[in-house]
Structures are given as structure tokens and as C-alpha cells.
Amino acid sequence: MSTLKQAQKRAAKAPAARPAPSAGKPNTLMSYRPPDRGTQPDLLFPPYASTVKRAPSQALVRLPSTLSEVTGPLFGYDRIHANDYDLTAQHNGDPIGERIIVSGRVLDANGRPVPHTLVEIWQANAAGRYPHPRDQHDAPTDPNFTGCGRTLTDSEGRYRFVTIRPGEYPWRNHYNAWRPAHIHFSLFGPAFQTRLVTQMYFPGDPLLEYDPMYLSIPTERARKRLISTFDWETTIPEMALGYRFDVVLRGREETPMENDMRHLLKGL
Amino acid sequence: MSLETSASQTVGPYLHIGLTWLVTENLVAPGVDGQPITISGVVTDGDGAVVPDALVEIWQANTHGRYAHPEDTRDLPLEAAFKGFGRSPTDKDGRFRFTTVKPGRVPGPDGTLQAPHINVTIFMRGMLRHLVSRIYFPDDPANAKDPVLSSVPAARRGTLVATRTPSKPHALTWNVRLQGDGETVFFDT
Ligand SMILES: [Fe+2]
């Protein structure tokens, strides 16, 4: 597929140098490095039909990192309620489906935890149905399941949700199109530049190799990063299977020296 | 240690289920400094069709030019009641809307000051990564020397500047054209 080539071309177009942060002001206006080459989908990916009329046709304009980009909204515990992390406890009864624990860490590309950051999730019910007016799939809704959760990471970047395993569902992208089971994730991180919306998939899902959204990610390594792993340690006996899913947000540029090295390496 | 950044994926058509709780279309609480203004617009696709399932988020400084963020350490008034974050889903007519204040100026590269602007992210079905743009203000003399506006080809700069309704001086319009004629400038940040 030419996607990989397109992605490489895009990465090659990235600017070679940016102003070094002024000495003696550690962290000040040090930008967040662009995502690594091959990790992000192109905006235009025709196998996902809706991109064709929605993707911009003009090249993106490079935005310098200013205070506007290295700051961003921060959210506190005042907005989070007790059952927001537990999607099985938001109604009077238990939702139908297999209970699962989804947990992991939010890290930056330098390997450091991203503490106290908002994580929002949404997903279909066990039958593959969303309680949404646009969802016309002929599968039952569940009065005990909305499929919406949120939490803040702890000081080590950890988060944890209790939910049920979402069902696969059909969509109209192409003949006989089915989305693999997935949970939508929305994260903010510390800055405007670290915003990320992604999806978590499940190991061994046979639909992944047919899914244009999953396949829009250029490299296999980056695709695999979106597949959660079964986790025996967070599995609770007689209660729920554990799945582990770590999310990596953009990391800050390091020292100007490392910066230069990185650009040199990219040129190789 | 170095890790690869996780891939972006679309919000899909059912984004409202997870993201509605934080919808914030009015950023102005009582007592916040500055003249309240409205900014609204319509998102259209490459066929000119309205996009009824997009989500627009904004991030901005307060009227004094201060961001509610620990890395903005300048000695300017910080208002507890102004967080600077907004989130608005488009309606069936493709329209999003915010009530806010015009932000003050914030520093740009190399000791310059930027013209007042609002930072924008846009999410929707059919968008595998979110779009990044900016809203500038009409008739602001600082626009002429703004380092970001100046980096945009002159013919496209206007797509980043809101327009004023003559009869309603505090109502601004900023439309988003995803593709084609008058395509909005989107940034790689
Ligand atoms: Fe979905």
C-alpha cells in the first residue's frame, strides 16, 4: 500500500531545524516533538470513504511552538464523579456482557508518566450498539449501559476503567464492513500539542486486518500499539478479565544538543 | 527512554456519547473581565455539504493575555473563573458556537508578540487525525505583523480571520471549509 510511502514523504517534509530554547530557561517554550515517522495516519485515506470529502487538499502550514501550543486545558477532580470510571455501575441494573478491566498508563514519548490528565472513553454495548440516534444497527440497546466513562490519571500516569467488552458492529464504508471491537479514547495531556483521540482494540480480533481505520496507521509497529493485551495481573478472580492499554502522547524536545542529533539522524 | 507516539484514530459518528458531558459553549462566567463576544460558524466539506457530526474545541488566553496554565508565568491577571477551554459539537446545520472574550496578546517566537487569537482543534467522523487551526480577529492592527499569519500564503490568510456582522458588533463568524474553494488553513503543530 502506498500509505507508508506517503507517510514517509510527509515526515521528510518536516522542517529540519527549529529555534533552540534559550539557555538558562529550562523547559521554557520547549515544544513537543512531532509524532514519530510512520505512527500517524494520513488525513486522506480513500479506503476509509469519509476521508475523501473531508480531508484538506492543501498542505498543512507549519505552526511554530509558542506559548499557545505548549499550554492547554487542565481538568481537576471537581468534574469527575465516583462512578465515572465504572461503566457497569451507572444504572440500576448490571449491563449484559463480559465484564472487563481496562487499565494502563499514559506516558509521553520520553517514557515519562503523564499525571493527572483527563481520559475520556466511549464504546458500544456487548451487542455492538450505541445508544445514539445515528446508530440504526439492528441490535438491542441495553438500559443498563450508556458506554461513557472518564477518569484522571494518578501521579504515575495510571488509569483504570471497569466496563464490558464491546461488540463488533457493521458500518457502511464498504460491502460487509464490520468494525473490530474497540473503545474510543480521548486524552489531553499537558498541552494543546499533546491532544490525542484514538481507539483501543482487542488482541486476536480477526476484523483488524479488514478495518480501514486500523489499516490507516502506516507501520505495523504503530498499529500494534493500539491493541490492548490480556493482563492476568489485573484480572480479578470470578469477576473480570483484565486488559492493559498504554497510551503514548507526544514528548517534549529534550536539550538542544539532543535536538540536533535527532534531526541529523532523521536525515540519514 | 524513547517511545513511539500512539496513533490517532477518528472520533467516529458516536462521539457525542463520550464527549457531550464536557461541552462548554459559554466560557464567560460572571465577573470575568472583557466584553463577551460570540463566535460561531458552519463546517462544510469538499462538496459544500454541512458537517453535522463535528466537534470543535478552543483554547485561549483571557482578556489580559494570560493562559490558565502553569507554564504561563507572566505577571498578568489570572482569573479563576476563566479557564479558556471550549467544546462545541456542530448541530444538524453544521454550526458550532461559543461565547467568550477576545484574548489578549501572548508572546510569539523571538520576543515578538502575537496578535490576539484562539487556538482550535476539530474532530469528526472521516478525520483520522484532528485538525488544528486558529481564529484571529477582524480589524486588529496586530494581525499585520503576526508571525503565524505572516507565515501563511497571503491569499489564504483571510480564512483564519473571523468576520463581524455589521449590525451586531459582538457577534463574529468563522466558517470552516475542510476542502476546496476557500479551504481553511490548517496547521501542522
Ligand atoms: Fe465506535
Side-chain angles (χ1 to χ4, degrees), chain A residues 41 48 52-55 57-58 68-69 109 120 190 198 201 221 248 252, chain B residues 3-4 6-7 9 21 46 67 69 71 117 125-126 129 134 179 183:
Chain A
Y48 176 18
V52 173
K53 290 296 179 187
R54 292 187 167 188
S57 62
Q58 303 273 337
S68 299
E69 286 71 39
E120 304 171 277
T198 187
Y201 299 102
R221 192 165 58 177
V248 181
R252 228 156 189 166
Chain B
L3 299 172
E4 275 197 352
S6 298
Q9 295 273 269
W21 73 286
Y67 282 109
H69 188 280
E71 288 193 33
H117 65 273
R125 174 178 65 83
R129 317 192 309 257
R134 281 184 171 199
Q179 187 190 89
E183 184 173 311

PDB file of all heavy atoms in Angstrom, chain A residues 41 48 52-55 57-58 68-69 109 120 190 198 201 221 248 252, chain B residues 3-4 6-7 9 21 46 67 69 71 117 125-126 129 134 179 183:
ATOM      1  N   PRO A  41      -1.832   8.291  10.856  1.00  0.00           N
ATOM      2  CA  PRO A  41      -2.495   8.135   9.565  1.00  0.00           C
ATOM      3  C   PRO A  41      -2.438   9.421   8.756  1.00  0.00           C
ATOM      4  O   PRO A  41      -2.349  10.515   9.319  1.00  0.00           O
ATOM      5  CB  PRO A  41      -3.955   7.843   9.930  1.00  0.00           C
ATOM      6  CG  PRO A  41      -4.030   7.742  11.399  1.00  0.00           C
ATOM      7  CD  PRO A  41      -2.754   8.224  11.994  1.00  0.00           C
ATOM      8  N   TYR A  48     -10.966   4.468   3.691  1.00  0.00           N
ATOM      9  CA  TYR A  48     -11.953   4.975   4.646  1.00  0.00           C
ATOM     10  C   TYR A  48     -12.685   6.098   3.910  1.00  0.00           C
ATOM     11  O   TYR A  48     -12.209   7.216   3.798  1.00  0.00           O
ATOM     12  CB  TYR A  48     -11.236   5.463   5.908  1.00  0.00           C
ATOM     13  CG  TYR A  48     -12.117   6.102   6.968  1.00  0.00           C
ATOM     14  CD1 TYR A  48     -13.502   5.920   7.009  1.00  0.00           C
ATOM     15  CD2 TYR A  48     -11.537   6.879   7.965  1.00  0.00           C
ATOM     16  CE1 TYR A  48     -14.282   6.518   7.990  1.00  0.00           C
ATOM     17  CE2 TYR A  48     -12.306   7.472   8.953  1.00  0.00           C
ATOM     18  CZ  TYR A  48     -13.679   7.290   8.956  1.00  0.00           C
ATOM     19  OH  TYR A  48     -14.439   7.887   9.935  1.00  0.00           O
ATOM     20  N   VAL A  52     -12.547  11.177   2.029  1.00  0.00           N
ATOM     21  CA  VAL A  52     -12.356  11.728   0.686  1.00  0.00           C
ATOM     22  C   VAL A  52     -12.890  13.151   0.563  1.00  0.00           C
ATOM     23  O   VAL A  52     -12.259  14.000  -0.067  1.00  0.00           O
ATOM     24  CB  VAL A  52     -12.982  10.780  -0.374  1.00  0.00           C
ATOM     25  CG1 VAL A  52     -12.944  11.407  -1.756  1.00  0.00           C
ATOM     26  CG2 VAL A  52     -12.253   9.432  -0.367  1.00  0.00           C
ATOM     27  N   LYS A  53     -14.030  13.445   1.163  1.00  0.00           N
ATOM     28  CA  LYS A  53     -14.602  14.789   1.066  1.00  0.00           C
ATOM     29  C   LYS A  53     -14.285  15.650   2.291  1.00  0.00           C
ATOM     30  O   LYS A  53     -14.676  16.817   2.357  1.00  0.00           O
ATOM     31  CB  LYS A  53     -16.126  14.701   0.907  1.00  0.00           C
ATOM     32  CG  LYS A  53     -16.553  14.164  -0.447  1.00  0.00           C
ATOM     33  CD  LYS A  53     -16.132  15.082  -1.579  1.00  0.00           C
ATOM     34  CE  LYS A  53     -16.544  14.510  -2.931  1.00  0.00           C
ATOM     35  NZ  LYS A  53     -15.990  15.325  -4.026  1.00  0.00           N
ATOM     36  N   ARG A  54     -13.621  15.066   3.264  1.00  0.00           N
ATOM     37  CA  ARG A  54     -13.382  15.825   4.494  1.00  0.00           C
ATOM     38  C   ARG A  54     -11.911  16.187   4.706  1.00  0.00           C
ATOM     39  O   ARG A  54     -11.602  17.134   5.418  1.00  0.00           O
ATOM     40  CB  ARG A  54     -13.946  15.052   5.695  1.00  0.00           C
ATOM     41  CG  ARG A  54     -15.472  14.981   5.648  1.00  0.00           C
ATOM     42  CD  ARG A  54     -16.103  14.383   6.889  1.00  0.00           C
ATOM     43  NE  ARG A  54     -17.549  14.632   6.904  1.00  0.00           N
ATOM     44  CZ  ARG A  54     -18.355  14.368   7.916  1.00  0.00           C
ATOM     45  NH1 ARG A  54     -17.864  13.815   9.031  1.00  0.00           N
ATOM     46  NH2 ARG A  54     -19.651  14.636   7.865  1.00  0.00           N
ATOM     47  N   ALA A  55     -10.996  15.447   4.087  1.00  0.00           N
ATOM     48  CA  ALA A  55      -9.570  15.741   4.275  1.00  0.00           C
ATOM     49  C   ALA A  55      -9.201  17.015   3.525  1.00  0.00           C
ATOM     50  O   ALA A  55      -9.574  17.187   2.368  1.00  0.00           O
ATOM     51  CB  ALA A  55      -8.736  14.581   3.762  1.00  0.00           C
ATOM     52  N   SER A  57      -7.256  19.547   1.161  1.00  0.00           N
ATOM     53  CA  SER A  57      -6.472  19.238  -0.030  1.00  0.00           C
ATOM     54  C   SER A  57      -5.157  20.013  -0.049  1.00  0.00           C
ATOM     55  O   SER A  57      -4.221  19.635  -0.743  1.00  0.00           O
ATOM     56  CB  SER A  57      -7.281  19.556  -1.289  1.00  0.00           C
ATOM     57  OG  SER A  57      -7.590  20.936  -1.326  1.00  0.00           O
ATOM     58  N   GLN A  58      -5.102  21.107   0.708  1.00  0.00           N
ATOM     59  CA  GLN A  58      -3.882  21.921   0.751  1.00  0.00           C
ATOM     60  C   GLN A  58      -2.935  21.362   1.816  1.00  0.00           C
ATOM     61  O   GLN A  58      -3.384  20.779   2.799  1.00  0.00           O
ATOM     62  CB  GLN A  58      -4.225  23.364   1.125  1.00  0.00           C
ATOM     63  CG  GLN A  58      -5.229  24.027   0.198  1.00  0.00           C
ATOM     64  CD  GLN A  58      -4.570  24.669  -0.998  1.00  0.00           C
ATOM     65  OE1 GLN A  58      -3.398  25.004  -0.962  1.00  0.00           O
ATOM     66  NE2 GLN A  58      -5.321  24.809  -2.071  1.00  0.00           N
ATOM     67  N   SER A  68       1.030  29.437  23.077  1.00  0.00           N
ATOM     68  CA  SER A  68      -0.307  28.927  22.732  1.00  0.00           C
ATOM     69  C   SER A  68      -0.309  27.414  22.532  1.00  0.00           C
ATOM     70  O   SER A  68      -1.316  26.758  22.780  1.00  0.00           O
ATOM     71  CB  SER A  68      -0.802  29.586  21.445  1.00  0.00           C
ATOM     72  OG  SER A  68      -0.901  30.970  21.600  1.00  0.00           O
ATOM     73  N   GLU A  69       0.800  26.865  22.069  1.00  0.00           N
ATOM     74  CA  GLU A  69       0.855  25.439  21.763  1.00  0.00           C
ATOM     75  C   GLU A  69       1.364  24.597  22.930  1.00  0.00           C
ATOM     76  O   GLU A  69       1.038  23.416  23.014  1.00  0.00           O
ATOM     77  CB  GLU A  69       1.754  25.183  20.536  1.00  0.00           C
ATOM     78  CG  GLU A  69       1.136  25.592  19.215  1.00  0.00           C
ATOM     79  CD  GLU A  69       1.035  27.095  19.029  1.00  0.00           C
ATOM     80  OE1 GLU A  69       1.973  27.809  19.438  1.00  0.00           O
ATOM     81  OE2 GLU A  69       0.006  27.564  18.515  1.00  0.00           O
ATOM     82  N   ALA A 109       6.409  10.512  25.018  1.00  0.00           N
ATOM     83  CA  ALA A 109       7.342   9.818  24.131  1.00  0.00           C
ATOM     84  C   ALA A 109       8.746   9.741  24.717  1.00  0.00           C
ATOM     85  O   ALA A 109       9.607   9.048  24.184  1.00  0.00           O
ATOM     86  CB  ALA A 109       7.362  10.487  22.757  1.00  0.00           C
ATOM     87  N   GLU A 120     -11.060  10.297  28.560  1.00  0.00           N
ATOM     88  CA  GLU A 120     -12.486  10.082  28.288  1.00  0.00           C
ATOM     89  C   GLU A 120     -12.612   8.865  27.382  1.00  0.00           C
ATOM     90  O   GLU A 120     -11.842   8.709  26.429  1.00  0.00           O
ATOM     91  CB  GLU A 120     -13.079  11.288  27.541  1.00  0.00           C
ATOM     92  CG  GLU A 120     -12.902  12.630  28.238  1.00  0.00           C
ATOM     93  CD  GLU A 120     -13.318  13.805  27.332  1.00  0.00           C
ATOM     94  OE1 GLU A 120     -12.495  14.251  26.502  1.00  0.00           O
ATOM     95  OE2 GLU A 120     -14.463  14.263  27.447  1.00  0.00           O
ATOM     96  N   PRO A 190      -0.591  17.565  28.777  1.00  0.00           N
ATOM     97  CA  PRO A 190      -0.343  18.868  29.391  1.00  0.00           C
ATOM     98  C   PRO A 190      -0.477  20.061  28.458  1.00  0.00           C
ATOM     99  O   PRO A 190      -0.422  21.202  28.913  1.00  0.00           O
ATOM    100  CB  PRO A 190       1.104  18.756  29.878  1.00  0.00           C
ATOM    101  CG  PRO A 190       1.726  17.720  28.992  1.00  0.00           C
ATOM    102  CD  PRO A 190       0.642  16.778  28.587  1.00  0.00           C
ATOM    103  N   THR A 198      -7.944   8.454  20.073  1.00  0.00           N
ATOM    104  CA  THR A 198      -7.526   7.202  19.460  1.00  0.00           C
ATOM    105  C   THR A 198      -8.546   6.113  19.777  1.00  0.00           C
ATOM    106  O   THR A 198      -9.638   6.397  20.273  1.00  0.00           O
ATOM    107  CB  THR A 198      -6.085   6.845  19.905  1.00  0.00           C
ATOM    108  OG1 THR A 198      -5.636   5.711  19.171  1.00  0.00           O
ATOM    109  CG2 THR A 198      -5.977   6.598  21.388  1.00  0.00           C
ATOM    110  N   TYR A 201      -8.002  -1.472  20.658  1.00  0.00           N
ATOM    111  CA  TYR A 201      -8.518  -2.706  20.077  1.00  0.00           C
ATOM    112  C   TYR A 201      -8.193  -3.887  20.986  1.00  0.00           C
ATOM    113  O   TYR A 201      -7.458  -3.760  21.970  1.00  0.00           O
ATOM    114  CB  TYR A 201      -7.916  -2.900  18.680  1.00  0.00           C
ATOM    115  CG  TYR A 201      -8.275  -1.766  17.735  1.00  0.00           C
ATOM    116  CD1 TYR A 201      -7.351  -0.757  17.426  1.00  0.00           C
ATOM    117  CD2 TYR A 201      -9.536  -1.687  17.175  1.00  0.00           C
ATOM    118  CE1 TYR A 201      -7.691   0.292  16.580  1.00  0.00           C
ATOM    119  CE2 TYR A 201      -9.883  -0.640  16.326  1.00  0.00           C
ATOM    120  CZ  TYR A 201      -8.959   0.343  16.028  1.00  0.00           C
ATOM    121  OH  TYR A 201      -9.305   1.379  15.198  1.00  0.00           O
ATOM    122  N   ARG A 221       4.189  -1.611  13.556  1.00  0.00           N
ATOM    123  CA  ARG A 221       4.530  -1.367  14.959  1.00  0.00           C
ATOM    124  C   ARG A 221       3.556  -0.375  15.602  1.00  0.00           C
ATOM    125  O   ARG A 221       3.096  -0.561  16.720  1.00  0.00           O
ATOM    126  CB  ARG A 221       5.967  -0.849  15.052  1.00  0.00           C
ATOM    127  CG  ARG A 221       6.496  -0.840  16.466  1.00  0.00           C
ATOM    128  CD  ARG A 221       7.988  -0.677  16.491  1.00  0.00           C
ATOM    129  NE  ARG A 221       8.417   0.554  15.819  1.00  0.00           N
ATOM    130  CZ  ARG A 221       9.675   0.958  15.759  1.00  0.00           C
ATOM    131  NH1 ARG A 221      10.635   0.230  16.319  1.00  0.00           N
ATOM    132  NH2 ARG A 221       9.994   2.069  15.132  1.00  0.00           N
ATOM    133  N   VAL A 248       0.731   6.592  24.475  1.00  0.00           N
ATOM    134  CA  VAL A 248       1.917   7.449  24.454  1.00  0.00           C
ATOM    135  C   VAL A 248       1.575   8.762  23.753  1.00  0.00           C
ATOM    136  O   VAL A 248       1.215   8.774  22.573  1.00  0.00           O
ATOM    137  CB  VAL A 248       3.107   6.762  23.744  1.00  0.00           C
ATOM    138  CG1 VAL A 248       4.334   7.671  23.772  1.00  0.00           C
ATOM    139  CG2 VAL A 248       3.407   5.414  24.388  1.00  0.00           C
ATOM    140  N   ARG A 252       8.290  16.071  25.121  1.00  0.00           N
ATOM    141  CA  ARG A 252       8.937  17.348  24.895  1.00  0.00           C
ATOM    142  C   ARG A 252      10.282  17.185  24.211  1.00  0.00           C
ATOM    143  O   ARG A 252      10.965  16.190  24.423  1.00  0.00           O
ATOM    144  CB  ARG A 252       9.176  17.991  26.257  1.00  0.00           C
ATOM    145  CG  ARG A 252       8.708  19.387  26.191  1.00  0.00           C
ATOM    146  CD  ARG A 252       8.358  19.971  27.456  1.00  0.00           C
ATOM    147  NE  ARG A 252       7.748  21.236  27.066  1.00  0.00           N
ATOM    148  CZ  ARG A 252       7.047  21.989  27.850  1.00  0.00           C
ATOM    149  NH1 ARG A 252       6.830  21.628  29.079  1.00  0.00           N
ATOM    150  NH2 ARG A 252       6.541  23.112  27.417  1.00  0.00           N
TER     151      ARG A 252
ATOM    152  N   LEU B   3       9.723   6.376  23.439  1.00  0.00           N
ATOM    153  CA  LEU B   3       8.587   5.572  22.998  1.00  0.00           C
ATOM    154  C   LEU B   3       7.972   6.211  21.773  1.00  0.00           C
ATOM    155  O   LEU B   3       8.013   7.423  21.618  1.00  0.00           O
ATOM    156  CB  LEU B   3       7.522   5.507  24.105  1.00  0.00           C
ATOM    157  CG  LEU B   3       7.928   4.879  25.430  1.00  0.00           C
ATOM    158  CD1 LEU B   3       6.829   5.087  26.467  1.00  0.00           C
ATOM    159  CD2 LEU B   3       8.207   3.396  25.255  1.00  0.00           C
ATOM    160  N   GLU B   4       7.378   5.398  20.933  1.00  0.00           N
ATOM    161  CA  GLU B   4       6.670   5.946  19.773  1.00  0.00           C
ATOM    162  C   GLU B   4       5.295   6.457  20.189  1.00  0.00           C
ATOM    163  O   GLU B   4       4.572   5.792  20.926  1.00  0.00           O
ATOM    164  CB  GLU B   4       6.503   4.873  18.691  1.00  0.00           C
ATOM    165  CG  GLU B   4       7.691   4.753  17.787  1.00  0.00           C
ATOM    166  CD  GLU B   4       7.343   4.006  16.495  1.00  0.00           C
ATOM    167  OE1 GLU B   4       6.239   3.460  16.380  1.00  0.00           O
ATOM    168  OE2 GLU B   4       8.218   3.980  15.613  1.00  0.00           O
ATOM    169  N   SER B   6       1.479   7.184  20.229  1.00  0.00           N
ATOM    170  CA  SER B   6       0.323   6.392  19.804  1.00  0.00           C
ATOM    171  C   SER B   6      -0.340   7.037  18.588  1.00  0.00           C
ATOM    172  O   SER B   6      -0.378   8.264  18.467  1.00  0.00           O
ATOM    173  CB  SER B   6      -0.701   6.281  20.927  1.00  0.00           C
ATOM    174  OG  SER B   6      -0.155   5.626  22.041  1.00  0.00           O
ATOM    175  N   ALA B   7      -0.899   6.210  17.731  1.00  0.00           N
ATOM    176  CA  ALA B   7      -1.575   6.696  16.529  1.00  0.00           C
ATOM    177  C   ALA B   7      -2.896   7.355  16.886  1.00  0.00           C
ATOM    178  O   ALA B   7      -3.599   6.925  17.801  1.00  0.00           O
ATOM    179  CB  ALA B   7      -1.824   5.545  15.570  1.00  0.00           C
ATOM    180  N   GLN B   9      -6.799   8.108  15.910  1.00  0.00           N
ATOM    181  CA  GLN B   9      -7.894   7.462  15.186  1.00  0.00           C
ATOM    182  C   GLN B   9      -9.099   8.398  15.234  1.00  0.00           C
ATOM    183  O   GLN B   9      -9.189   9.260  16.108  1.00  0.00           O
ATOM    184  CB  GLN B   9      -8.252   6.104  15.821  1.00  0.00           C
ATOM    185  CG  GLN B   9      -7.127   5.080  15.730  1.00  0.00           C
ATOM    186  CD  GLN B   9      -7.144   4.283  14.432  1.00  0.00           C
ATOM    187  OE1 GLN B   9      -7.745   3.222  14.332  1.00  0.00           O
ATOM    188  NE2 GLN B   9      -6.485   4.814  13.413  1.00  0.00           N
ATOM    189  N   TRP B  21     -20.511  15.406  27.875  1.00  0.00           N
ATOM    190  CA  TRP B  21     -20.501  15.871  29.273  1.00  0.00           C
ATOM    191  C   TRP B  21     -19.646  17.121  29.463  1.00  0.00           C
ATOM    192  O   TRP B  21     -19.908  17.925  30.351  1.00  0.00           O
ATOM    193  CB  TRP B  21     -19.978  14.743  30.185  1.00  0.00           C
ATOM    194  CG  TRP B  21     -18.490  14.546  30.027  1.00  0.00           C
ATOM    195  CD1 TRP B  21     -17.846  13.968  28.985  1.00  0.00           C
ATOM    196  CD2 TRP B  21     -17.477  14.986  30.938  1.00  0.00           C
ATOM    197  NE1 TRP B  21     -16.493  14.005  29.172  1.00  0.00           N
ATOM    198  CE2 TRP B  21     -16.237  14.614  30.360  1.00  0.00           C
ATOM    199  CE3 TRP B  21     -17.483  15.630  32.171  1.00  0.00           C
ATOM    200  CZ2 TRP B  21     -15.016  14.891  30.988  1.00  0.00           C
ATOM    201  CZ3 TRP B  21     -16.278  15.905  32.793  1.00  0.00           C
ATOM    202  CH2 TRP B  21     -15.057  15.535  32.203  1.00  0.00           C
ATOM    203  N   GLY B  46     -15.896  19.030   1.204  1.00  0.00           N
ATOM    204  CA  GLY B  46     -15.440  19.313  -0.152  1.00  0.00           C
ATOM    205  C   GLY B  46     -16.568  19.506  -1.156  1.00  0.00           C
ATOM    206  O   GLY B  46     -16.363  20.093  -2.222  1.00  0.00           O
ATOM    207  N   TYR B  67      -2.722  32.701  29.905  1.00  0.00           N
ATOM    208  CA  TYR B  67      -3.284  31.351  29.826  1.00  0.00           C
ATOM    209  C   TYR B  67      -3.419  30.766  31.229  1.00  0.00           C
ATOM    210  O   TYR B  67      -2.512  30.918  32.052  1.00  0.00           O
ATOM    211  CB  TYR B  67      -2.370  30.440  29.006  1.00  0.00           C
ATOM    212  CG  TYR B  67      -2.487  30.627  27.505  1.00  0.00           C
ATOM    213  CD1 TYR B  67      -1.464  31.223  26.773  1.00  0.00           C
ATOM    214  CD2 TYR B  67      -3.615  30.180  26.825  1.00  0.00           C
ATOM    215  CE1 TYR B  67      -1.568  31.373  25.389  1.00  0.00           C
ATOM    216  CE2 TYR B  67      -3.725  30.324  25.447  1.00  0.00           C
ATOM    217  CZ  TYR B  67      -2.704  30.930  24.730  1.00  0.00           C
ATOM    218  OH  TYR B  67      -2.809  31.074  23.373  1.00  0.00           O
ATOM    219  N   HIS B  69      -2.622  28.200  32.811  1.00  0.00           N
ATOM    220  CA  HIS B  69      -1.746  27.030  32.705  1.00  0.00           C
ATOM    221  C   HIS B  69      -0.454  27.372  33.442  1.00  0.00           C
ATOM    222  O   HIS B  69       0.049  28.493  33.326  1.00  0.00           O
ATOM    223  CB  HIS B  69      -1.470  26.737  31.221  1.00  0.00           C
ATOM    224  CG  HIS B  69      -0.743  25.451  30.979  1.00  0.00           C
ATOM    225  ND1 HIS B  69       0.618  25.336  31.132  1.00  0.00           N
ATOM    226  CD2 HIS B  69      -1.191  24.225  30.607  1.00  0.00           C
ATOM    227  CE1 HIS B  69       0.978  24.082  30.862  1.00  0.00           C
ATOM    228  NE2 HIS B  69      -0.107  23.390  30.535  1.00  0.00           N
ATOM    229  N   GLU B  71       2.561  26.916  32.903  1.00  0.00           N
ATOM    230  CA  GLU B  71       3.728  27.381  32.151  1.00  0.00           C
ATOM    231  C   GLU B  71       3.606  28.821  31.681  1.00  0.00           C
ATOM    232  O   GLU B  71       4.546  29.360  31.111  1.00  0.00           O
ATOM    233  CB  GLU B  71       4.003  26.446  30.976  1.00  0.00           C
ATOM    234  CG  GLU B  71       4.548  25.139  31.511  1.00  0.00           C
ATOM    235  CD  GLU B  71       5.147  24.249  30.452  1.00  0.00           C
ATOM    236  OE1 GLU B  71       5.710  24.755  29.484  1.00  0.00           O
ATOM    237  OE2 GLU B  71       5.044  23.034  30.630  1.00  0.00           O
ATOM    238  N   HIS B 117      -5.532  35.681  19.303  1.00  0.00           N
ATOM    239  CA  HIS B 117      -6.014  34.534  18.532  1.00  0.00           C
ATOM    240  C   HIS B 117      -6.544  33.465  19.466  1.00  0.00           C
ATOM    241  O   HIS B 117      -6.187  33.407  20.641  1.00  0.00           O
ATOM    242  CB  HIS B 117      -4.893  33.951  17.666  1.00  0.00           C
ATOM    243  CG  HIS B 117      -3.774  33.379  18.480  1.00  0.00           C
ATOM    244  ND1 HIS B 117      -2.723  34.145  18.925  1.00  0.00           N
ATOM    245  CD2 HIS B 117      -3.562  32.129  18.966  1.00  0.00           C
ATOM    246  CE1 HIS B 117      -1.896  33.388  19.638  1.00  0.00           C
ATOM    247  NE2 HIS B 117      -2.386  32.172  19.677  1.00  0.00           N
ATOM    248  N   ARG B 125     -16.009  12.315  12.323  1.00  0.00           N
ATOM    249  CA  ARG B 125     -16.000  11.108  11.510  1.00  0.00           C
ATOM    250  C   ARG B 125     -15.319  11.447  10.187  1.00  0.00           C
ATOM    251  O   ARG B 125     -15.532  12.532   9.636  1.00  0.00           O
ATOM    252  CB  ARG B 125     -17.458  10.700  11.268  1.00  0.00           C
ATOM    253  CG  ARG B 125     -17.680   9.551  10.341  1.00  0.00           C
ATOM    254  CD  ARG B 125     -19.171   9.237  10.249  1.00  0.00           C
ATOM    255  NE  ARG B 125     -19.924  10.334   9.627  1.00  0.00           N
ATOM    256  CZ  ARG B 125     -20.046  10.513   8.312  1.00  0.00           C
ATOM    257  NH1 ARG B 125     -19.462   9.689   7.462  1.00  0.00           N
ATOM    258  NH2 ARG B 125     -20.746  11.520   7.838  1.00  0.00           N
ATOM    259  N   GLY B 126     -14.503  10.553   9.674  1.00  0.00           N
ATOM    260  CA  GLY B 126     -13.811  10.830   8.415  1.00  0.00           C
ATOM    261  C   GLY B 126     -12.537  11.634   8.592  1.00  0.00           C
ATOM    262  O   GLY B 126     -11.902  12.008   7.619  1.00  0.00           O
ATOM    263  N   ARG B 129      -6.973  12.182  11.935  1.00  0.00           N
ATOM    264  CA  ARG B 129      -6.262  12.981  12.949  1.00  0.00           C
ATOM    265  C   ARG B 129      -7.035  14.282  13.077  1.00  0.00           C
ATOM    266  O   ARG B 129      -7.633  14.741  12.110  1.00  0.00           O
ATOM    267  CB  ARG B 129      -4.847  13.352  12.507  1.00  0.00           C
ATOM    268  CG  ARG B 129      -4.052  12.260  11.857  1.00  0.00           C
ATOM    269  CD  ARG B 129      -2.562  12.646  11.736  1.00  0.00           C
ATOM    270  NE  ARG B 129      -2.304  13.940  11.138  1.00  0.00           N
ATOM    271  CZ  ARG B 129      -1.879  14.121   9.884  1.00  0.00           C
ATOM    272  NH1 ARG B 129      -1.698  13.086   9.080  1.00  0.00           N
ATOM    273  NH2 ARG B 129      -1.632  15.324   9.424  1.00  0.00           N
ATOM    274  N   ARG B 134      -6.567  28.340  13.751  1.00  0.00           N
ATOM    275  CA  ARG B 134      -6.605  29.487  14.660  1.00  0.00           C
ATOM    276  C   ARG B 134      -7.673  30.458  14.190  1.00  0.00           C
ATOM    277  O   ARG B 134      -7.900  30.583  12.980  1.00  0.00           O
ATOM    278  CB  ARG B 134      -5.261  30.238  14.661  1.00  0.00           C
ATOM    279  CG  ARG B 134      -4.179  29.580  15.486  1.00  0.00           C
ATOM    280  CD  ARG B 134      -2.948  30.464  15.491  1.00  0.00           C
ATOM    281  NE  ARG B 134      -1.957  29.981  16.441  1.00  0.00           N
ATOM    282  CZ  ARG B 134      -0.960  30.719  16.919  1.00  0.00           C
ATOM    283  NH1 ARG B 134      -0.811  31.988  16.523  1.00  0.00           N
ATOM    284  NH2 ARG B 134      -0.094  30.218  17.785  1.00  0.00           N
ATOM    285  N   GLN B 179     -12.245  21.545   2.606  1.00  0.00           N
ATOM    286  CA  GLN B 179     -11.610  21.139   1.343  1.00  0.00           C
ATOM    287  C   GLN B 179     -12.155  21.982   0.194  1.00  0.00           C
ATOM    288  O   GLN B 179     -13.343  22.274   0.166  1.00  0.00           O
ATOM    289  CB  GLN B 179     -11.968  19.662   1.125  1.00  0.00           C
ATOM    290  CG  GLN B 179     -11.296  18.967  -0.011  1.00  0.00           C
ATOM    291  CD  GLN B 179     -11.927  17.597  -0.243  1.00  0.00           C
ATOM    292  OE1 GLN B 179     -12.884  17.474  -0.989  1.00  0.00           O
ATOM    293  NE2 GLN B 179     -11.389  16.571   0.416  1.00  0.00           N
ATOM    294  N   GLU B 183     -10.595  26.932   1.074  1.00  0.00           N
ATOM    295  CA  GLU B 183     -10.240  25.965   2.122  1.00  0.00           C
ATOM    296  C   GLU B 183      -9.539  26.655   3.294  1.00  0.00           C
ATOM    297  O   GLU B 183      -8.600  27.430   3.105  1.00  0.00           O
ATOM    298  CB  GLU B 183      -9.330  24.888   1.516  1.00  0.00           C
ATOM    299  CG  GLU B 183      -8.957  23.774   2.466  1.00  0.00           C
ATOM    300  CD  GLU B 183      -8.184  22.661   1.746  1.00  0.00           C
ATOM    301  OE1 GLU B 183      -8.620  22.196   0.666  1.00  0.00           O
ATOM    302  OE2 GLU B 183      -7.126  22.265   2.262  1.00  0.00           O
TER     303      GLU B 183
END
